[in-house]
């Protein structure tokens, strides 16, 4: 067992020093999301701006990381440049296992380095190294250089930012081991504000598997459940991009800046089409037998004598919707090429695609012109989008710098708020209806994974706001328990509360195992308290007119139902925070 107290490495970039502290609270916050919220309440500064050097950048893992499959995520928490409030973002790769094998439950970075730097941590070492020569470099060059500088291939996780993070864009993500991300809400800008280009976590320690005698059998049961169910085919075969055709069929796919919810031209960017033409291989986060990561390729001719270079690019439903259907780009290789451009710059692909969809419609309507966008944007124009992504990531002019802080910020200045597809942040790839729109707009992470509103819309025929809000609150409670264990949410059908309890008991966390309902309520409250204390007012959230103008497979959006859901969810959030 790793311990009833949390072991946390605190690093102060101001003086380049760190120390390990222990913290009580395992039985009340578990780890992951709960631990991140606890650490922010302890070390965060609600009244100071997101880029104040004293603000913490927090990474946490859970009690089952390393013991059971798919406990593979790391939770990253910070005060977000997007809204200057508490935020959480989740990433996988090797990050969670590397922290576990480095003997840490959390890494907390405060302060600001005098010059561009990176941090390397392991079970017995901490190094803060100046890397001024990496500032301005793209993610690929940065990753390659850091891999060469620090030993530990296979055990090591590398987190890094690109120019977007250095430029302080609220759409800048943190890349994890090339194919995973802490993508949303601007964690990359928080690293940039600290002059922190990369974090190398070397899992170079050992990890005693001293569970009870039930542990090996339980591990085998869990492993079998995870690999024998349809989850494997759902996530491993076509993967999440299977949603493109499914949502298009039921008129719930955001297309052309959500001007449409279905269109036959998306046949070139379905999951099936990607698998048929562009899929190279699958990959997996450490400790995951599912391997949902789909990696395709882009090929570019660099000399006329048929000389090509190629790069590997990961894809999922969300990046395909953002750089494909939202921009009316209908070719899978073109979508990968635009994703690749955004990745290199360290932009969150979803946010950037949705922002450019707004900019394209704004240009069509004459609200902005090439004076702002530099290159002319029109739906489906691949080369224009690659150039625009470059301008956005580099913060080329005032327009792109503002757009990089969020579509609504640009719309406030230039006009066009009505058709900004923003639900708390740039929308996720589901136009399923009222419950999803409200759940993403008001939810803590503004993520489609905060709660299952998108699935409620598709299954539920009635329009009872109280019933829907009750579902969102209960579903969020279940999900925060999973994210506090740092389970991948794709495993939510397998890791029931009863199974989680058995898993915890088998490795010695009996008190925690016996109080999961209380603990998950406590975590839910702690997270909302952090968000509200940093200025969130759920009742002030607005949902742009575009979301009311669409028709889904269920029919037109019902404004009265949406307004009632919004009002009741805002009230429920206030209750959860008290
Ligand atoms: S299912 Fe996918 S995202 Fe989840 S842990 Fe496995 S590889 Fe990572």
């Amino acid at each position: 067992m790793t311990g009833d107290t949390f072991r946390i490495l605190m690093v102060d970039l101001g003086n380049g020093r760190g120390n390990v502290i222990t913290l009580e609270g395992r039985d009340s916050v578990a780890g992951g999301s709960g631990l991140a919220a606890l650490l922010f309440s302890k070390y965060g500064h609600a009244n100071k701006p997101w880029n104040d050097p004293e603000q913490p950048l927090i990474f946490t893992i859970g009690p089952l990381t390393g013991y059971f499959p798919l406990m593979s995520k790391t939770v990253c928490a910070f005060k977000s440049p997007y809204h200057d409030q508490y935020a959480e973002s989740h990433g996988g790769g090797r990050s969670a296992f590397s922290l576990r094998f480095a003997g840490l439950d959390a890494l907390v970075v405060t302060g600001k380095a005098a010059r561009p730097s990176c941090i390397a941590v392991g079970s017995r070492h901490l190094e803060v190294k100046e890397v001024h020569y990496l500032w301005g470099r793209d993610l690929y060059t940065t990753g390659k250089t850091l891999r060469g500088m620090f030993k530990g291939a296979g055990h090591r996780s590398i987190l890094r930012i690109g120019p977007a993070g250095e430029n302080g864009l609220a759409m800048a993500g943190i890349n994890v081991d090339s194919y995973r991300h802490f993508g949303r809400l601007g964690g990359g800008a928080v690293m940039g504000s600290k002059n922190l280009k990369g974090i190398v976590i070397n899992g170079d320690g050992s990890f005693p598997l001293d569970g009870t005698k039930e542990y090996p059998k339980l591990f085998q049961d869990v492993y079998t459940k995870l690999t024998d169910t349809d989850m494997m085919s759902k996530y491993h075969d076509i993967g999440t991009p299977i949603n493109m055709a499914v949502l298009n069929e039921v008129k719930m796919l955001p297309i052309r800046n959500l001007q449409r919810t279905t269109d036959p031209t998306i046949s070139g960017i379905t999951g099936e089409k990607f698998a048929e033409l562009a899929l190279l291989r699958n990959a997996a986060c450490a400790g995951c037998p599912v391997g949902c990561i789909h990696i395709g390729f882009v090929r570019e001719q660099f000399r006329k004598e048929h000389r090509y270079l190629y790069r590997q690019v990961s894809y999922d439903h969300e990046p395909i919707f953002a750089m494909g259907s939202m921009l009316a780009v209908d070719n899978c290789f073109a979508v990968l090429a635009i994703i690749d451009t955004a990745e290199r710059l360290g932009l969150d692909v979803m946010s950037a695609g949705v922002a450019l969809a707004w900019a394209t419609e704004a240009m069509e309507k004459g609200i902005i012109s090439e004076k702002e966008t530099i290159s002319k944007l029109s739906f489906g124009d691949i080369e224009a989008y690659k150039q625009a992504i470059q301008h956005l990531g580099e913060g080329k002019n005032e327009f792109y710098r503002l757009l990089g802080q969020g579509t609504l910020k640009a719309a406030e200045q230039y006009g066009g708020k009505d058709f900004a597809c923003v639900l708390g942040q740039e929308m996720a790839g589901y136009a399923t209806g009222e419950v999803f729109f409200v759940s993403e707009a008001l939810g803590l992470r503004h993520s489609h994974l905060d709660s299952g509103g998108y699935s409620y819309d598709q299954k539920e025929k009635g329009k009872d706001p109280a019933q829907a809000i009750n579902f969102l609150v209960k579903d969020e409670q279940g999900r925060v328990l999973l994210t506090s264990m740092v389970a991948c949410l794709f495993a939510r059908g397998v890791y029931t509360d009863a199974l989680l309890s058995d898993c915890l008991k088998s490795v010695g966390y009996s008190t925690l195992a016996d109080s999961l309902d209380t603990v998950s309520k406590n975590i839910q409250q702690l997270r909302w308290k952090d968000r509200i204390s940093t200025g969130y007012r759920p009742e002030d959230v607005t949902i742009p007119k575009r979301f009311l103008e669409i028709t889904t497979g269920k029919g037109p959006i019902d404004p009265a139902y949406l307004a009632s859901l919004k009002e009741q969810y805002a009230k429920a959030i206030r209750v959860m925070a008290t």
Side-chain angles (χ1 to χ4, degrees):
M1 184 172 82
T2 45
D4 286 328
T5 53
F6 298 112
R7 192 167 183 274
I8 298 156
L9 175 61
M10 307 287 299
V11 179
D12 180 354
L13 285 167
N15 59 20
R17 299 210 181 106
N19 64 307
V20 173
I21 61 162
T22 52
L23 185 70
E24 300 287 332
R26 176 73 78 189
D27 294 337
S28 55
V29 299
S33 289
L35 176 56
L38 176 66
L39 287 168
F40 187 83
S41 66
K42 219 170 150 46
Y43 298 106
H45 301 272
N47 298 318
K48 290 185 179 175
W50 66 273
N51 55 356
D52 187 291
E54 287 182 31
Q55 294 290 9
L57 176 63
I58 298 163
F59 299 93
T60 59
I61 58 169
L64 299 175
T65 305
Y67 284 110
F68 285 96
L70 271 90
M71 295 293 171
S72 305
K73 297 284 178 177
T74 299
V75 172
C76 176
F78 48 89
K79 203 169 186 224
S80 163
Y82 200 91
H83 46 40
D84 208 20
Q85 294 163 13
Y86 180 68
E88 236 186 74
S89 186
H90 302 172
R94 284 185 298 275
S95 57
F97 268 51
S98 295
L99 280 167
R100 166 63 72 233
F101 279 86
L104 298 170
D105 296 296
L107 169 67
V108 179
V109 183
T110 56
K112 176 177 181 175
R115 308 202 58 194
S117 300
C118 72
I119 298 173
V121 305
S123 60
R124 288 166 184 267
H125 72 271
L126 162 68
E127 186 181 358
V128 179
K129 200 174 171 76
E130 194 195 313
V131 289
H132 64 274
Y133 44 86
L134 286 179
W135 209 247
R137 298 295 178 147
D138 70 27
L139 273 180
Y140 298 160
T141 308
T142 304
K144 194 171 170 195
T145 309
L146 292 175
R147 283 193 292 276
M149 282 167 63
F150 297 99
K151 285 191 273 182
H155 299 268
R156 175 192 62 189
S157 182
I158 298 181
L159 283 49
R160 72 254 197 197
I161 61 167
E166 297 169 17
N167 294 329
L169 301 186
M171 291 181 187
I174 302 171
N175 179 285
V176 189
D177 301 323
S178 300
Y179 302 124
R180 298 284 92 183
H181 312 82
F182 299 106
R184 303 281 253 168
L185 293 171
V190 177
M191 276 183 67
S193 76
K194 294 184 174 304
N195 263 340
L196 183 58
K197 184 72 177 173
I199 300 173
V200 181
I201 306 160
N202 195 356
D204 57 356
S206 59
F207 175 50
L209 273 177
D210 52 356
T212 60
K213 65 178 184 335
E214 286 81 33
Y215 169 70
K217 186 182 168 307
L218 189 56
F219 178 96
Q220 194 53 52
D221 286 352
V222 173
Y223 186 94
T224 306
K225 276 190 181 134
L226 286 164
T227 51
D228 272 7
T229 60
D230 64 351
M231 185 183 158
M232 270 308 265
S233 55
K234 187 170 167 199
Y235 294 114
H236 182 81
D237 181 359
I238 305 281
T240 58
I242 204 160
N243 288 335
M244 290 295 291
V246 172
L247 291 171
N248 191 52
E249 179 71 26
V250 293
K251 300 194 180 87
M252 291 178 173
L253 182 67
I255 297 168
R256 291 178 87 98
N257 199 39
L258 197 55
Q259 294 173 17
R260 295 179 199 162
T261 51
T262 187
D263 194 314
T265 61
I266 74 113
S267 61
I269 55 169
T270 61
E272 293 79 352
K273 190 60 79 178
F274 270 83
E276 184 192 335
L277 300 178
L279 178 62
L280 274 182
R281 63 189 175 94
N282 281 56
C285 300
C288 173
V290 175
C292 80
I293 304 171
H294 287 66
I295 299 175
F297 65 97
V298 290
R299 192 176 82 134
E300 284 171 4
Q301 189 165 4
F302 63 93
R303 276 201 3 217
K304 70 175 172 21
E305 297 91 352
H306 295 96
R307 290 291 158 263
Y308 300 93
L309 62 82
Y310 72 92
R311 275 188 300 279
Q312 301 187 37
V313 184
S314 64
Y315 65 83
D316 277 300
H317 167 69
E318 301 294 347
I320 297 174
F321 122 83
M323 296 303 193
S325 62
M326 275 299 257
L327 300 178
V329 172
D330 58 7
N331 172 286
C332 60
F333 290 108
V335 170
L336 286 173
I338 305 172
I339 294 174
D340 178 54
T341 311
E343 289 277 15
R344 254 186 292 171
L345 292 152
L347 278 167
D348 172 55
V349 172
M350 288 163 71
S351 308
V354 174
L356 286 186
W358 168 83
T360 310
E361 189 171 337
M363 184 165 243
E364 277 184 346
K365 288 183 156 63
I367 290 171
I368 56 172
S369 67
E370 281 171 71
K371 189 166 142 278
E372 282 81 30
T373 59
I374 305 172
S375 37
K376 184 173 180 324
L377 301 180
S378 54
F379 285 112
D381 187 338
I382 300 152
E383 286 312 310
Y385 285 131
K386 284 205 273 188
Q387 286 171 27
I389 290 281
Q390 193 75 29
H391 299 324
L392 182 63
E394 290 174 351
K396 197 78 165 186
N397 62 15
E398 196 196 327
F399 169 75
Y400 281 110
R401 285 193 290 277
L402 197 55
L403 189 61
Q405 299 308 326
T407 306
L408 273 183
K409 301 242 172 71
E412 268 157 26
Q413 172 146 336
Y414 296 93
K417 277 162 86 170
D418 282 356
F419 55 89
C421 294
V422 173
L423 295 168
Q425 65 179 329
E426 282 65 25
M427 75 177 296
Y430 304 85
T432 55
E434 297 88 345
V435 176
F436 172 66
F437 295 160
V438 168
S439 76
E440 191 184 3
L442 274 72
L444 193 132
R445 290 200 287 141
H446 303 300
S447 162
H448 62 290
L449 292 171
D450 272 330
S451 52
Y454 54 91
S455 118
Y456 187 93
D457 276 331
Q458 291 177 69
K459 286 185 192 145
E460 193 56 48
K461 292 202 168 47
K463 287 185 185 173
D464 180 345
Q467 181 191 314
I469 299 309
N470 189 39
F471 166 81
L472 292 182
V473 170
K474 286 300 290 177
D475 196 48
E476 180 197 285
Q477 188 190 339
R479 287 173 185 237
V480 296
L481 181 61
L482 285 167
T483 61
S484 295
M485 301 295 156
V486 299
C488 175
L489 286 173
F490 290 166
R492 60 189 180 275
V494 171
Y495 280 118
T496 60
D497 285 8
L499 184 59
L500 282 176
S501 178
D502 288 345
C503 292
L504 286 164
K505 277 184 187 147
S506 77
V507 293
Y509 292 111
S510 295
T511 312
L512 177 59
D514 286 337
S515 52
L516 290 183
D517 187 53
T518 314
V519 169
S520 54
K521 280 196 184 119
N522 180 46
I523 296 166
Q524 202 173 17
Q525 181 192 49
L526 195 53
R527 291 166 87 235
W528 280 117
K529 267 191 171 162
D530 280 346
R531 181 78 198 267
I532 301 268
S533 77
T534 50
Y536 184 48
R537 291 183 46 80
E539 43 292 294
D540 289 352
V541 172
T542 54
I543 295 181
K545 197 165 156 226
R546 174 56 46 86
F547 292 96
L548 304 172
E549 293 169 341
I550 66 164
T551 298
T552 72
K554 289 177 79 173
I557 295 297
D558 180 341
Y561 181 42
L562 185 107
S564 179
L565 286 166
K566 198 165 87 56
E567 192 192 328
Q568 293 199 30
Y569 196 27
K571 280 189 189 147
I573 288 169
R574 289 283 178 193
V575 171
M576 283 188 272
T578 51

